[in-house]
């Protein structure tokens, strides 16, 4: 079996302050990420997304549990050999040029000098910063810094890249470019771990997502799985379904008419067949039957509301 | 190792990016150029001998002179120079001066005592006193073999052979700006002048002002590194935290070592080239400046990991320096008290001694600089043995070990704080 890119078991992090309350940022978190995936970690601000990534990268010490990156326990420098990281709100030393920045962090990631030299231009070009190669980063705009941050995160060709809010502060064109980079990494078999509160971004590219709230996993699955609304279908029909609506209503928990058909909530999947039978018997043609999908955003809000009702973090 | 070097190189970029680095190197180069503009010239030997007599004359004035010369309390009229000539003796050139003294019996000179130096603390009277005074001043002027004698009728002679010092240093006059301004050196040889200026550069400019500036400049190395957004990225790299701290420390040391090397090396080279006095001992001050800085910077690094604030780092290291100075003062005070006044209470002596033993002795490091300076070239008017005696009571090896242990403890403490810190 292939080792998981990430294997997290009961990971807990409690921030202890001198004064004030303790903050439990991660609560016995379990998570597994397979290699080659684009993985999205979603959650509102303060959910613990950044804390999770920082814990995995040894920036923050966990208070409990364990985790491995490609089989190496976190905390050891070796666990960070195959990782790249774009911190949220990162700040590069202002006295370095773009080229020197890549060279410095590349060296820290263990790249030999010759390799660094050979790859700098291409790496800067891929984020559109080649022109700025010799300019000190203190003169960069936020978007430029973000692009340099991404170039830095993937410069040493890591197998697992953590991107914390990668599209934060980037204009739509830049966002598209970042998505392209992520997809390209994925094509080359790299694993990408994205932290984001911007759901549409994630929806576009992630294979699997986890919804984190108050340090706990609320949902986990593929985008398809998560956005499928349980038992809701839209039936588009030829002709008026009116005559058999009585029978249909008996099968459904809720029905509503829509233009050219109706929307039905069915408790069991077999009931779709029953409705088809009813319609066919009445001689009504069926154009299409589609399971209703909610947007990730709707689902997200719903999930958080449910959790709030359950008594999650106020 | 690769990442260690990368971190050090990065510290270097950081320092160079800082204008102060450029200013510091600029200052050192400025000193060097200024020294290169000084010329050291040989004065005609008569002038030299006249210079000695002028200094002897000064002892006949009832003023205490400043510096290394004895304070005097004399009467009578000063000697009058009759003739100065060169004589050959055993194939070497000696200078011979003949002079008269009107009332030799009135001469009185008291040299104040100096601890550890038996030649001081004497008083001279009459004819013999004048001769001793001349011998002393001749030595000060760089003559190490001196003969005096009477020729009767109140006429005396002084014969002096230029010593090695005089031969190597030679010059007795400096010119500034290619001879626009000529300053004859009185009472000092050019070698002594060079020695004096180098001492000042090593102890005051380098070892004091330089170290303060270095503390200020390097104080933001670690806090800057630990700024939010910077440290995250650094820690996400496969580098152990111990290496991060160690490389930042070494980077700071290297920065100061380089600066000290430029200052000391540049001025040393310029002085040596112009005066012909290649004073290797001066180069040792690069090490003492770096060592002193190393001690203070370890305090700064600990302050940095605790508070991540460069102002607090500066304050901590400077206060620590002051503390070391005060403890040193207290230590010598309680020790002297036992000899000179009453016994200091035991608890006080033990307390001071314990603290003195724990803290690195910054004053010993300063003395080490003097010691290096004096190696092979004892300061003015001192024999090599007297010089050695001055330093024999100081346990330099012990002080260096003590400083190194202290640094190790500070860095270890910094690491312990840094190791489990969340960012
Ligand atoms: N260094 C820290 N010290 C104390 N509390 C922190 C620290 N970092 C984050 N937290 C707290 O932990 C919780 C999770 O924060 P974070 O991981 O940044 O969330 P997210 O990235 O999902 O917005 C928040 O309540 C935050 O206030
Ligand atoms: Mg975050």
């Amino acid at each position: 079996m292939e080792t998981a890119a990430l294997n997290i078991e009961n990971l807990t992090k409690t921030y202890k302050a001198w004064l004030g309350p303790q903050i439990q940022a991660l609560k016995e978190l379990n998570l597994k990420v397979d290699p080659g995936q684009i993985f999205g970690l979603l959650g509102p601000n303060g959910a613990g997304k950044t804390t999770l990534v920082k814990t995995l990268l040894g920036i923050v010490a966990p208070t409990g549990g364990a985790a491995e990156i490609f089989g190496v326990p976190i905390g050891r420098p070796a666990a960070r050999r195959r990782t790249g990281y774009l911190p949220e709100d990162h700040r590069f030393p202002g006295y370095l040029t773009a080229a020197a920045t890549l060279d410095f962090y590349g060296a820290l990631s263990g790249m030999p000098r010759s390799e660094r030299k050979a790859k700098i231009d291409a790496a800067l070009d891929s984020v559109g910063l080649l022109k700025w190669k010799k300019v000190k980063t203190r003169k960069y705009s936020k978007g430029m810094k973000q692009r340099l941050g991404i170039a830095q995160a993937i410069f040493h060709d890591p197998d697992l890249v953590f991107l914390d809010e990668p599209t934060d502060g980037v204009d739509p064109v830049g966002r598209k470019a970042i998505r392209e980079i992520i997809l390209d990494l994925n094509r080359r078999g790299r694993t990408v771990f994205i932290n984001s509160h911007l759901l549409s971004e994630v929806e576009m590219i992630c294979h699997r997502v986890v919804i984190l709230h108050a340090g706990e996993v609320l949902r986990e699955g593929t985008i398809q799985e998560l956005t499928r609304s349980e038992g809701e279908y839209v039936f588009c029909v030829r002709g008026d379904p009116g005559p058999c609506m009585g029978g249909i209503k008996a099968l459904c928990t809720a029905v509503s008419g829509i233009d050219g058909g109706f929307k039905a909530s069915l408790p069991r999947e077999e009931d779709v067949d029953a409705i088809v039978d009813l319609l066919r018997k009445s001689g009504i043609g069926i154009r299409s039957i589609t399971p209703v999908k909610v947007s990730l955003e709707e689902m997200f809000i719903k999930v958080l509301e449910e959790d709030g009702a359950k008594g999650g973090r106020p | 190792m690769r990442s260690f070097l990368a971190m050090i190189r990065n510290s270097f970029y950081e320092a160079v990016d800082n204008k102060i680095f450029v200013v510091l190197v600029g200052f050192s180069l400025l000193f060097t150029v200024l020294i290169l503009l000084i010329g050291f010239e040989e004065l005609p030997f008569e002038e030299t001998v006249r210079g000695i007599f002028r200094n002897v004359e000064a002892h006949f004035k009832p003023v205490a002179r400043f510096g290394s010369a004895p304070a005097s309390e004399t009467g009578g009229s000063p000697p009058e120079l009759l003739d100065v000539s060169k004589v050959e003796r055993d194939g070497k050139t000696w200078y011979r001066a003949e002079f008269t003294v009107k009332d030799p019996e009135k001469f009185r000179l008291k040299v104040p005592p100096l601890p550890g130096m038996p030649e001081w603390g004497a008083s001279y009277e009459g004819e013999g006193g004048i001769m001793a005074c001349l011998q002393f001043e001749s030595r000060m002027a760089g003559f190490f073999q001196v003969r005096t004698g009477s020729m009767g009728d109140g006429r005396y002679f002084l014969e002096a052979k230029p010593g090695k010092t005089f031969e190597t240093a030679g010059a007795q006059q400096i010119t500034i700006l290619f001879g626009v301004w000529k300053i004859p050196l009185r009472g000092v040889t050019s070698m002594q002048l060079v020695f004096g200026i180098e001492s000042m550069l090593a102890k005051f400019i380098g070892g004091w002002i330089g170290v303060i500036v270095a503390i200020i400049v390097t104080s933001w190395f670690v806090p800057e590194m630990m700024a939010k957004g910077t440290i995250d990225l650094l820690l996400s790299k496969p580098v152990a935290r111990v290496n991060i701290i160690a490389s930042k420390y070494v980077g700071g040391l290297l920065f100061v070592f380089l600066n000290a090397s430029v200052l000391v090396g540049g001025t040393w080279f310029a002085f040596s080239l112009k005066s012909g006095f290649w004073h290797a001992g001066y180069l040792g001050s690069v090490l003492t400046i770096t060592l002193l800085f190393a001690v203070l910077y370890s305090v700064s690094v600990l302050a940095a990991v605790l508070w991540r604030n460069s102002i607090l780092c500066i304050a901590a290291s400077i206060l620590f320096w002051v503390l070391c100075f005060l403890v040193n003062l207290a230590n010598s005070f309680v020790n002297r008290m036992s000899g000179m006044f009453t016994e200091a209470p035991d608890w006080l002596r033990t307390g001071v001694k314990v603290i003195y033993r724990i803290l690195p002795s910054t004053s010993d490091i300063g003395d080490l600089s003097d010691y290096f300076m004096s190696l092979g070239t004892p300061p003015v008017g001192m024999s090599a043995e007297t010089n050695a005696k001055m330093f024999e009571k100081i346990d330099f090896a012990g002080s260096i070990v003590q400083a190194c242990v202290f640094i190790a403890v500070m860095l270890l403490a910094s690491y312990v704080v840094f190791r489990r810190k969340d960012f």
Side-chain angles (χ1 to χ4, degrees):
Chain A
M1 202 191 80
E2 213 178 352
T3 30
L6 260 183
N7 194 358
I8 302 171
E9 281 171 8
N10 297 325
L11 197 67
T12 302
K13 173 67 196 177
T14 309
Y15 286 112
K16 295 182 187 79
W18 288 99
L19 299 165
Q22 297 195 349
I23 297 169
Q24 215 180 359
L26 298 175
K27 294 172 189 161
E28 309 214 337
L29 201 83
N30 288 286
L31 201 64
K32 203 170 156 190
V33 177
D34 290 328
Q37 282 192 337
I38 302 178
F39 188 92
L41 184 63
L42 305 182
N45 287 328
K49 307 182 295 291
T50 300
T51 301
L52 175 60
V53 170
K54 282 186 175 180
T55 311
L56 294 174
L57 289 171
I59 300 161
V60 156
T63 35
E68 289 176 350
I69 298 176
F70 293 113
V72 185
I74 56 163
R76 296 188 198 169
R80 290 169 247 144
R81 281 232 160 268
R82 296 167 69 185
T83 57
Y85 177 40
L86 170 75
E88 80 179 323
D89 302 326
H90 61 276
R91 233 181 47 137
F92 290 123
Y95 50 86
L96 294 180
T97 62
T101 304
L102 290 188
D103 189 64
F104 174 52
Y105 290 107
L108 293 186
S109 305
M111 287 171 86
R113 191 182 166 78
S114 54
E115 192 188 335
R116 302 196 305 262
K117 279 243 166 335
K119 285 177 70 182
I120 282 178
D121 282 5
L124 288 177
D125 198 28
S126 73
V127 291
L129 287 176
L130 192 55
K131 284 203 301 282
W132 296 81
K133 183 180 172 184
K134 297 218 163 85
V135 179
K136 293 192 174 169
T137 58
R138 69 163 69 95
K139 297 193 178 139
Y140 283 22
S141 71
K142 186 157 193 309
M144 287 163 72
K145 283 180 188 158
Q146 191 72 356
R147 279 183 281 156
L148 182 60
I150 289 178
Q152 169 281 134
I154 63 178
F155 184 53
H156 51 294
D157 199 15
D159 293 315
L160 171 58
V161 186
F162 292 97
L163 304 173
D164 200 344
E165 312 282 1
T167 53
D168 215 24
V170 181
D171 60 35
V173 180
R175 286 178 191 209
K176 182 153 183 301
I178 290 171
R179 278 200 300 276
E180 291 302 326
I181 290 172
I182 294 171
L183 289 172
D184 180 58
L185 282 172
N186 180 246
R187 272 193 291 277
R188 292 189 289 120
R190 307 291 179 261
T191 315
V192 184
F193 189 108
I194 303 172
N195 271 6
S196 187
H197 63 272
L198 299 171
L199 301 163
S200 52
E201 303 280 329
V202 172
E203 210 164 1
M204 268 184 254
I205 51 174
C206 286
H207 299 133
R208 280 182 79 77
V209 296
V210 150
I211 296 178
L212 193 71
H213 180 50
E216 286 176 302
V217 174
L218 294 189
R219 289 283 191 286
E220 180 180 0
T222 62
I223 299 267
Q224 261 108 26
E225 284 166 1
L226 292 180
T227 52
R228 193 174 57 214
S229 178
E230 291 299 310
E232 264 198 308
Y233 298 87
V234 169
F235 291 81
C236 288
V237 295
R238 266 189 303 272
D240 180 18
C244 55
M245 269 329 256
I248 291 171
K249 272 184 184 148
L251 289 165
C252 299
T253 47
V255 183
S256 54
I258 56 168
D259 209 24
F262 58 91
K263 194 164 137 189
S265 299
L266 301 171
R268 291 170 305 157
E269 211 168 341
E270 306 91 86
D271 294 337
V272 176
D273 298 326
I275 293 181
V276 170
D277 289 344
L278 273 174
L279 289 168
R280 293 303 296 143
K281 247 185 254 160
S282 318
I284 296 165
I286 300 169
R287 274 216 188 92
S288 66
I289 307 169
T290 0
V292 173
K293 284 199 158 194
V294 293
S295 73
L296 194 57
E297 193 161 324
E298 282 172 286
M299 187 276 307
F300 185 73
I301 291 167
K302 209 172 100 198
V303 166
L304 292 187
E305 275 168 356
E306 280 169 19
D307 185 61
K310 265 188 354 220
R313 197 195 311 206
Chain B
M1 198 58 206
R2 176 181 297 136
S3 41
F4 195 79
L5 289 180
M7 293 277 298
I8 287 178
R9 192 146 38 88
N10 187 51
S11 302
F12 182 73
Y13 288 149
E14 184 171 5
V16 172
D17 179 67
N18 205 305
K19 299 291 174 290
I20 289 185
F21 182 81
V22 181
V23 170
L24 286 182
V25 171
F27 252 114
S28 301
L29 295 180
L30 182 73
F31 273 128
T32 305
V33 168
L34 285 181
I35 294 164
L36 285 173
L37 291 179
I38 302 177
F40 292 83
E41 283 179 0
E42 194 135 359
L43 271 180
F45 75 95
E46 291 89 351
E47 269 303 306
T48 311
V49 176
R50 273 177 219 285
I52 297 171
F53 274 87
R54 266 194 295 272
N55 285 326
V56 172
E57 263 176 45
H59 291 306
F60 287 83
K61 292 172 191 147
V63 257
R65 288 207 309 147
F66 210 62
S68 53
S72 50
E73 183 197 284
T74 57
S77 46
E80 242 168 76
L81 199 58
L82 298 173
D83 183 35
V84 180
S85 60
K86 261 186 196 172
V87 286
E88 291 292 318
R89 190 163 290 164
D90 309 330
K92 294 269 164 32
T93 307
W94 286 63
Y95 296 155
R96 183 183 165 93
E98 294 178 6
F99 57 94
T100 55
V101 182
K102 245 185 229 137
D103 37 11
E105 67 286 348
K106 283 192 186 163
F107 181 79
R108 240 166 224 75
L109 172 65
K110 220 179 219 150
V111 184
L114 197 71
M117 293 179 61
E119 301 149 59
W120 296 65
S123 61
Y124 304 99
E125 280 179 28
E127 202 171 78
I130 295 175
M131 300 301 148
C133 189
L134 271 164
Q135 295 211 2
F136 180 85
E137 287 295 345
S138 303
R139 271 215 302 279
M140 295 282 280
F143 295 92
F144 281 96
Q145 271 172 281
V146 183
R147 303 174 37 187
T148 47
S150 168
M151 300 187 297
D153 289 341
R155 283 156 57 101
Y156 303 87
F157 72 90
L158 165 80
E159 278 182 3
K161 178 175 163 250
K164 200 161 171 273
T165 316
F166 189 79
E167 281 161 22
T168 51
Q172 295 289 295
Q173 162 172 279
I174 58 170
T175 60
I176 289 171
L177 281 175
F178 313 106
V180 172
W181 189 13
K182 290 189 177 173
I183 309 169
L185 298 178
R186 301 222 169 113
V188 284
T189 62
S190 57
M191 185 197 82
Q192 288 158 0
L193 181 78
V194 169
F195 189 105
I197 298 177
E198 285 178 347
S199 288
M200 191 196 71
L201 285 170
K203 289 199 81 171
F204 184 69
I205 306 281
W208 203 68
I209 297 184
V211 168
I212 289 181
V213 174
I215 287 171
I216 294 171
V217 175
T218 54
S219 70
W220 55 73
F221 276 19
V222 177
E224 185 81 348
M225 176 193 82
M226 299 219 287
K228 188 170 151 35
T230 308
I231 187 71
D232 312 34
L233 202 48
L234 206 55
L235 293 177
S236 78
K237 298 295 172 187
V239 184
R241 291 195 184 193
V242 64
N243 280 346
I244 292 177
I245 278 285
S247 61
K248 271 287 155 183
Y249 181 74
V250 173
L253 285 200
L254 225 52
F255 165 78
V256 170
F257 180 78
L258 284 179
N259 268 299
S261 300
V262 173
L263 173 72
V264 175
T267 50
W268 172 78
F269 182 74
F271 268 133
S272 304
L273 196 68
K274 300 300 282 207
S275 71
F277 169 42
W278 295 80
H279 181 200
Y282 173 48
L283 293 174
S285 51
V286 174
L287 299 179
T288 53
I289 291 171
T290 311
L291 181 63
L292 176 59
F293 173 76
V295 167
L296 300 173
Y297 189 46
S298 70
V299 177
S300 176
V301 166
L302 179 59
V305 294
L306 284 174
W307 304 307
R308 296 192 231 171
N309 178 319
S310 57
I311 301 292
L312 289 178
C313 291
I314 296 171
S317 14
I318 300 224
L319 282 179
F320 179 76
W321 196 1
V322 171
L323 178 74
C324 286
F325 174 77
L326 291 179
V327 168
N328 190 70
L329 205 67
N331 186 59
S332 55
F333 187 63
V334 289
N335 279 345
R336 191 169 297 176
M337 227 155 88
S338 62
M340 288 169 101
F341 310 103
T342 51
E343 283 283 312
D346 263 354
W347 62 265
L348 184 64
R349 291 182 58 186
T350 325
V352 169
K353 193 154 242 156
V354 165
I355 299 172
Y356 179 72
R357 280 277 150 246
I358 291 172
L359 294 183
S361 173
T362 48
S363 65
D364 277 7
I365 296 174
D367 289 342
L368 183 60
S369 169
D370 288 343
Y371 177 66
F372 281 142
M373 291 286 293
S374 72
L375 282 181
T377 323
V380 184
M382 237 192 251
S383 64
E385 296 82 61
T386 325
N387 180 58
K389 211 170 268 165
M390 291 264 294
F391 293 108
E392 77 185 358
K393 268 190 255 144
I394 305 172
D395 177 13
F396 287 127
S399 297
I400 292 172
V401 169
Q402 198 181 339
C404 292
V405 168
F406 178 83
I407 290 169
V409 169
M410 284 288 122
L411 291 183
L412 193 70
S414 311
Y415 172 61
V416 167
V417 175
F418 184 55
R419 191 176 52 136
R420 303 278 312 165
K421 210 172 178 102
D422 291 337
F423 290 96

